[in-house]
Every structure is written in structure tokens, then in C-alpha cells.
């Protein structure tokens, strides 16, 4: 099993910044990709960003528009999501996920095997 623990969520005003962290433990060798996803009540979970932990290839959803940056610290088995210039529509529960993913599916939440418990991000206008 792979365990994922997110942290760093909270409340922020529009235009501000937050950094989310996701610490992975366990059988991480079973995964090659970690991603950030978000979900609001009544809507499907959507991909935000993903990073291939071996080669470092990165993918972003279109709505990120250069505002978010995904990065990793391999020594700490941790992936980060730096969120800048946040908007009220970024309000959601943010989840970290890990899996053995083909590149074309990096932002497909239904194909990831392991999930964290989520961290709430609330952006006020």
C-alpha cells in the first residue's frame, strides 16, 4: 500500500498564495506519478497537476493558467502544489493521488490507485 498525507490547506483571500504538501510512504515504488486533484460538492473530481516522479515530466490542467506549480522533493517523498493568484473558483477539497500512470492519463482521477484524505482550500473574494 501507499499512504498519502496532505497538508497546507486553509483560507486565503483572492490573489493570495497557498502551498499544499503531500507526503508519500509505503510501497511508493509501485507508482510513477503523483497528482493533485480537486472536487467541489456536486461536481466530479478534476485533475489539477501531475508530476512523474522519476523523470519529472509535468502536466497541468488548462484552468491553472500558469498560477500553480507542482514540484517534488524526492529525498522527502513529498510533492508540493504552489498555488499563486488564487481565485474564488479555486475553492475545493484538494486531494493528492499516486499511481502507475501512462502519460496521456496523468490527469485522469479515475485511474489513480492511491489517495490522500484531502485538504480544504477556501478562497474568499
Amino acid at each position: 500500500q501507499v499512504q498519502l498525507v496532505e497538508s497546507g490547506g486553509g483560507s486565503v483571500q483572492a490573489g493570495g498564495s497557498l502551498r499544499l504538501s503531500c507526503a508519500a510512504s509505503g510501497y511508493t515504488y509501485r507508482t510513477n506519478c503523483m497528482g493533485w486533484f480537486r472536487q467541489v460538492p456536486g461536481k466530479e473530481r478534476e485533475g489539477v497537476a501531475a508530476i512523474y516522479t522519476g523523470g519529472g515530466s509535468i502536466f497541468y490542467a488548462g484552468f491553472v493558467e500558469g498560477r500553480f506549480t507542482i514540484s517534488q522533493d524526492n529525498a522527502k517523498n513529498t510533492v508540493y502544489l504552489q498555488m499563486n493568484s488564487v481565485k474564488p473558483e479555486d475553492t475545493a477539497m484538494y486531494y493528492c493521488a499516486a499511481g502507475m500512470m501512462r502519460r496521456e492519463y496523468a490527469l485522469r482521477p479515475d485511474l489513480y490507485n492511491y489517495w490522500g484524505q484531502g485538504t480544504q482550500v477556501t478562497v474568499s473574494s
Side-chain angles (χ1 to χ4, degrees), residues 6-117:
E6 302 103 331
S7 60
S11 297
V12 63
Q13 288 193 328
S17 298
L18 278 176
R19 189 175 82 154
L20 307 184
S21 300
C22 175
S25 61
Y27 298 149
T28 57
Y29 65 88
R30 293 181 176 177
T31 67
N32 68 344
C33 183
M34 292 183 69
W36 285 98
F37 299 82
R38 68 185 189 183
Q39 189 170 24
V40 297
K43 290 192 175 182
E44 293 187 352
R45 194 168 295 187
E46 62 180 355
V48 178
I51 184 168
Y52 281 80
T53 52
S57 295
I58 289 173
F59 297 85
Y60 292 104
F63 60 78
V64 168
E65 298 173 325
R67 300 180 297 124
F68 300 172
T69 301
I70 189 170
S71 62
Q72 61 179 342
D73 184 334
N74 285 337
K76 296 181 179 180
N77 271 349
T78 299
V79 170
Y80 305 96
L81 185 68
Q82 178 67 43
M83 304 170 63
N84 298 329
S85 302
V86 295
K87 305 174 181 179
E89 51 264 44
D90 293 322
T91 295
M93 183 70 79
Y94 283 73
Y95 297 90
C96 176
M100 188 64 74
M101 306 297 295
R102 293 177 56 163
R103 291 179 183 273
E104 57 265 43
Y105 301 138
L107 295 178
R108 284 273 303 270
D110 56 312
L111 299 180
Y112 278 77
N113 304 104
Y114 307 104
W115 290 88
Q117 80 287 353

